[in-house]
Amino acid sequence: VRIARQLPEARLVVSGPGNDREATLSHARVLADTAVSLGIARERIVEIDHAQDTEQEAVAMQAISARSTVAVVTSAWHMPRAMALCQRAGMDVVACPADYTARDAKLSPNEFLYWNLGGLERSTKAVYEMIGAAWSRLRGKA
């Protein structure tokens, strides 16, 4: 939304499927509704609600980007894979990471050995992204 406000001529493309098993709004619709509630005109918003993964989102976005530069806003964890897939799809992209976390720089080396939920969450995200990136590379998509 901050980027859309700075670029009033730009379209805001939101993506994410719904849950076929439940009658819920798609992730794209939730993001669009949120942007509207924050002052973005619905006419500026394009929803990609049919893509089931990042690769399909990149292909769909490339089809509507009209060779324009695209600001990719996604989790910092997910950014390397998203950027690779978008570049492979032929888009001119700028990374705009969100949802990043920072750690206190004063951690002692042995604190990395302690088990905690935060560490489990970070390692789960890292493994998920490594598997996704490897799968994309194996198929020649990134």
Side-chain angles (χ1 to χ4, degrees):
V1 168
R2 252 182 45 221
I3 295 168
R5 286 182 180 152
Q6 294 294 315
L7 302 168
E9 300 301 315
R11 291 180 289 172
L12 174 61
V13 179
V14 294
S15 63
N19 186 339
D20 291 336
R21 293 171 295 204
E22 300 174 17
T24 60
L25 297 176
S26 69
H27 186 69
R29 176 51 53 100
V30 171
L31 293 174
D33 289 347
T34 301
V36 169
S37 76
L38 294 170
I40 303 299
R42 188 161 303 271
E43 300 79 41
R44 291 182 60 193
I45 301 172
V46 177
E47 295 179 35
I48 300 173
D49 58 5
H50 59 277
Q52 296 296 311
D53 58 26
T54 307
E55 180 184 339
Q56 291 178 9
E57 288 174 331
V59 170
M61 191 158 13
Q62 191 277 339
I64 62 174
S65 68
R67 300 181 197 255
S68 298
T69 300
V70 175
V72 177
V73 180
T74 191
S75 167
W77 283 101
H78 183 53
M79 188 60 74
R81 183 161 54 111
M83 290 294 288
L85 289 166
C86 288
Q87 289 167 341
R88 178 73 176 183
M91 286 187 286
D92 178 23
V93 288
V94 176
C96 300
D99 189 33
Y100 50 88
T101 57
R103 256 187 267 191
D104 186 354
K106 299 174 188 171
L107 291 176
S108 67
N110 55 338
E111 285 185 70
F112 289 103
L113 300 175
Y114 300 146
W115 290 90
N116 62 45
L117 291 177
L120 180 60
E121 179 184 12
R122 287 188 299 278
S123 64
T124 299
K125 288 178 180 179
V127 169
Y128 181 86
E129 287 302 324
M130 285 189 285
I131 291 169
W135 179 243
S136 293
R137 280 192 303 278
L138 280 171
R139 296 179 1 211
K141 302 292 181 175

